[in-house]
């Protein structure tokens, strides 16, 4: 008998306080910073919630001011935070982000080693709560922050596979968090093999598969069990390979000016996952992802460009 579901999507991951520099140039030259939220999984959670999906997010935060600010921000987005643990013995992670004016990736400086979220492990996976979601969205970031979080990531995916739920996985590489590229490649591909929908970027695909053509990257994961692979191609859009829709390309959405590239992939994931869970076709889902990703690069923070359901419908998506 299939268990009833309370959520559309569950996510595990680290939220960080984001401090964005007030001016272009090296981070050390900035005189003031704008406070935002950051974290791959939290960006996707916010994106999905704004589109009207019921979202549950599990994590650990410190009881410091940063942790309180992040928890308040996630709750304000309508996200279920009942499985976020406030750990008085640990601190909340944060990051600095610089400003650029040429459309390139901005400099980022992480301060997350030993954070509360890095202490998460398999014991933090509340299986009945997790199975109360019809879908799990996972990323390579949560798996990278510690050995115990890697085991938690594996466990969460195994639980959902056993329950017959769907799983999406954004490879979302963070090489500096892994002990070596070989270790990263091994575990990211292990996680991808547990997912139904895999969302690598083309440059990530080269690191993970050795292939530089989107068709070959997609084939690599399709041969390992993925039902859908969407390879992100930046401004060129995306290539997809699906067991129900075949293969195809979706063009990128032109933008007037690239302000900040960080968060575009998370917006893309929110678009694809939300559309697929609504029963939209694969091309429609990828188009929605491309549109939201394009919005994300035109704003300063990671989440300001994530649309509401009304904005999505106004765009005909």
């Amino acid at each position: 008998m299939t268990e009833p579901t309370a959520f559309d999507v569950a996510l595990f991951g680290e939220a960080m306080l984001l401090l964005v520099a007030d001016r272009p140039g090296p981070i050390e030259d900035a005189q003031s910073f704008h406070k935002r939220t950051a974290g791959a999984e939290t960006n996707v959670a916010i994106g999905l919630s704004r589109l009207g999906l019921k979202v549950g997010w599990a994590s650990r935060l410190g009881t410091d001011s940063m942790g309180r600010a992040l928890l308040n921000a996630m709750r304000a987005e309508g996200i279920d935070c009942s499985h976020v643990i406030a750990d008085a013995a640990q601190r909340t992670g944060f990051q600095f982000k610089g400003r650029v004016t040429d459309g390139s990736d901005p400099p980022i400086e992480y301060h997350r080693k030993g954070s509360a979220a890095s202490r998460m492990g398999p014991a933090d996976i509340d299986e009945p709560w997790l199975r109360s979601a019809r879908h799990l969205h996972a990323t390579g970031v949560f798996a990278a922050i510690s050995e115990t979080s890697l085991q938690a990531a594996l466990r969460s995916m195994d639980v959902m596979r056993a329950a017959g739920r769907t799983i999406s996985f954004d490879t979302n590489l963070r090489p500096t968090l892994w002990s070596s590229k070989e270790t990263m490649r091994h575990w990211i591909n292990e996680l991808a093999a547990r997912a139904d929908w895999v969302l690598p970027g083309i440059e990530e695909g080269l690191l993970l598969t050795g292939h530089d053509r989107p068709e070959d990257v997609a084939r690599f994961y399709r041969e390992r069990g993925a039902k859908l692979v969407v390879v992100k191609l930046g401004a060129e859009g995306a290539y997809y390979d699906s067991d129900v829709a075949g293969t195809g390309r979706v063009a990128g959405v032109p933008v007037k000016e690239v302000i900040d590239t960080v968060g575009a992939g998370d917006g893309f994931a929110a678009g694809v996952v939300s559309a697929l869970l609504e029963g939209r076709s694969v091309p429609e889902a990828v188009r929605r992802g491309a549109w939201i990703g394009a919005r994300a690069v035109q704003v300063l923070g990671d989440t300001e460009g994530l649309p509401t359901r009304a904005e999505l419908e106004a765009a005909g998506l």
Side-chain angles (χ1 to χ4, degrees):
M1 182 176 177
T2 303
E3 296 176 89
T5 56
F7 299 107
D8 292 305
V9 185
L11 305 95
F12 294 82
E14 180 172 31
M16 292 173 290
L17 194 73
L18 171 62
L19 299 170
V20 187
D22 66 335
R23 65 183 66 180
I27 294 174
E28 60 269 24
D29 291 344
Q31 296 300 307
S32 62
F33 295 83
H34 303 278
K35 187 164 71 173
R36 301 286 194 276
T37 63
E41 298 83 8
T42 52
N43 292 342
V44 176
I46 291 170
L48 293 170
S49 186
R50 286 186 188 172
L51 294 179
L53 281 78
K54 294 180 180 179
V55 180
W57 170 65
S59 188
R60 281 180 178 263
L61 295 168
T63 56
D64 47 36
S65 61
M66 293 188 293
R68 294 193 300 271
L70 290 165
L71 189 55
N72 289 339
M74 296 299 283
R75 285 173 172 162
E77 294 286 352
I79 294 165
D80 177 88
C81 297
S82 62
H83 282 63
V84 177
I85 297 171
D87 187 344
Q90 307 299 334
R91 62 178 180 81
T92 304
F94 66 98
Q95 70 178 83
F96 290 103
K97 181 163 69 173
R99 298 277 297 276
V100 295
T101 57
D102 60 358
S104 62
D105 293 340
I108 294 178
E109 184 176 287
Y110 291 105
H111 295 267
R112 68 197 309 179
K113 187 175 179 61
S115 67
S118 72
R119 308 303 174 111
M120 291 181 73
D124 290 296
I125 306 299
D126 182 330
E127 295 186 16
W129 177 83
L130 177 55
R131 289 194 299 268
S132 75
R134 62 189 181 109
H135 182 81
L136 170 68
H137 180 71
T139 85
V141 181
F142 179 51
I145 59 177
S146 70
E147 178 58 36
T148 56
S149 70
L150 169 60
Q151 296 306 314
L154 291 164
R155 181 61 185 157
S156 68
M157 296 177 85
D158 288 343
V159 168
M160 291 298 264
R161 280 179 65 88
R165 306 290 192 261
T166 51
I167 302 170
S168 52
F169 179 65
D170 189 335
T171 52
N172 227 326
L173 300 186
R174 297 291 187 273
T176 58
L177 296 179
W178 294 95
S179 60
S180 68
K181 285 186 178 180
E182 291 72 24
T183 300
M184 177 181 72
R185 185 179 300 113
H186 169 78
W187 285 115
I188 293 295
N189 286 336
E190 280 286 320
L191 291 159
R194 289 165 161 79
D196 300 285
W197 312 331
V198 181
L199 309 172
I202 186 61
E203 293 180 359
E204 293 176 325
L206 176 59
L207 274 172
L208 293 168
T209 72
H211 300 299
D212 60 3
R213 297 175 64 247
E215 296 85 352
D216 297 328
V217 172
R219 188 177 304 112
F220 179 92
Y221 290 112
R222 290 277 282 130
E223 290 175 347
R224 285 156 179 78
K227 297 174 182 176
L228 167 67
V229 182
V230 183
V231 184
K232 293 166 282 186
L233 305 174
E236 296 180 19
Y239 171 85
Y240 63 84
D241 186 336
S242 165
D243 61 351
V244 297
T247 63
R249 287 178 179 259
V250 169
V253 176
V255 299
K256 291 183 178 179
E257 182 182 8
V258 176
I259 302 297
D260 185 349
T261 59
V262 178
D266 301 327
F268 185 93
V272 170
V273 170
S274 63
L276 292 175
L277 290 178
E278 292 167 17
R280 299 294 188 95
S281 70
V282 170
E284 288 175 321
V286 178
R287 277 194 289 273
R288 182 185 291 185
W291 181 76
I292 297 179
R295 283 175 56 100
V297 303
Q298 298 179 75
V299 296
L300 184 61
D302 293 2
T303 61
E304 285 89 333
L306 298 174
T308 63
R309 171 61 62 173
E311 290 172 322
L312 187 75
E313 291 176 352
L317 295 165

